[in-house]
Amino acid sequence: MSCNIPDRAYDQAMKNRRPLPALFTARAALVLAWAALLSVPAFAGQTHSAVPGGEVRLEGPVKAGQPVKAVFDLKGYALPAGAYAAINVEFTAHPEGAKPEVRPGYPETVMTFDRPGTYSVLLLLNEISKGSCGGVSAKPLLDAELDVDVAP
């Protein structure tokens, strides 16, 4: 089955498209080859990257109440035209109380931890694109599991 959409209609449809909710992108995450995560005293964990050398690092002081950036570095890889990045953040373990505040974004996701302690954070970065005839394609770019020690 093929899609016969006139060029003008296709162009207009592409201008009016909306990003998919995180629920769809979360289901698209796949397990990738294991790679070592650079060592930083504030966290330890594992990274899987479809982009050679791709990594995520924390920038800023890791203290309760202070925002910290999770920076995705894909070593020059650029998203193709028409595609966008989808970030999912899950806390698999955290101290009692509310989960940290998260403002997902690419190339930086900002997290604010409300209390000191050890947190386990799963960060998923996917490339999302949509064909002209429907359907969605999700390409996992990077996922990292971090153990973050938050100071008071």
Side-chain angles (χ1 to χ4, degrees):
M1 180 174 156
S2 67
C3 224
N4 295 320
I5 301 174
D7 288 337
R8 275 186 313 201
Y10 173 78
D11 291 342
Q12 187 61 39
M14 292 305 290
K15 287 179 186 175
N16 294 334
R17 68 190 170 107
R18 296 181 187 166
L20 291 173
L23 174 64
F24 290 98
T25 59
R27 291 182 181 164
L30 300 174
V31 176
L32 302 173
W34 290 93
L37 180 67
L38 68 103
S39 291
V40 176
F43 69 94
Q46 297 177 343
T47 298
H48 315 94
S49 179
V51 177
E55 63 187 18
V56 62
R57 67 182 175 276
L58 296 183
E59 291 184 353
V62 185
K63 295 183 178 180
Q66 298 294 317
V68 62
K69 293 178 185 177
V71 179
F72 295 92
D73 183 358
L74 296 180
K75 306 299 182 192
Y77 177 82
L79 296 173
Y84 65 94
I87 307 294
N88 292 298
V89 180
E90 296 178 29
F91 293 92
T92 56
H94 57 85
E96 289 277 328
K99 290 182 184 176
E101 180 182 323
V102 176
R103 190 177 66 219
Y106 175 77
E108 298 176 350
T109 290
V110 178
M111 299 177 287
T112 304
F113 300 92
D114 64 341
R115 64 191 65 207
T118 300
Y119 295 76
S120 292
V121 184
L122 180 61
L123 298 160
L124 304 168
L125 169 61
N126 294 301
E127 177 184 301
I128 307 299
S129 58
K130 183 175 182 335
S132 63
C133 296
V136 174
S137 174
K139 176 182 175 183
L141 296 178
L142 184 139
D143 67 270
E145 186 174 354
L146 310 177
D147 293 323
V148 182
D149 292 319
V150 178

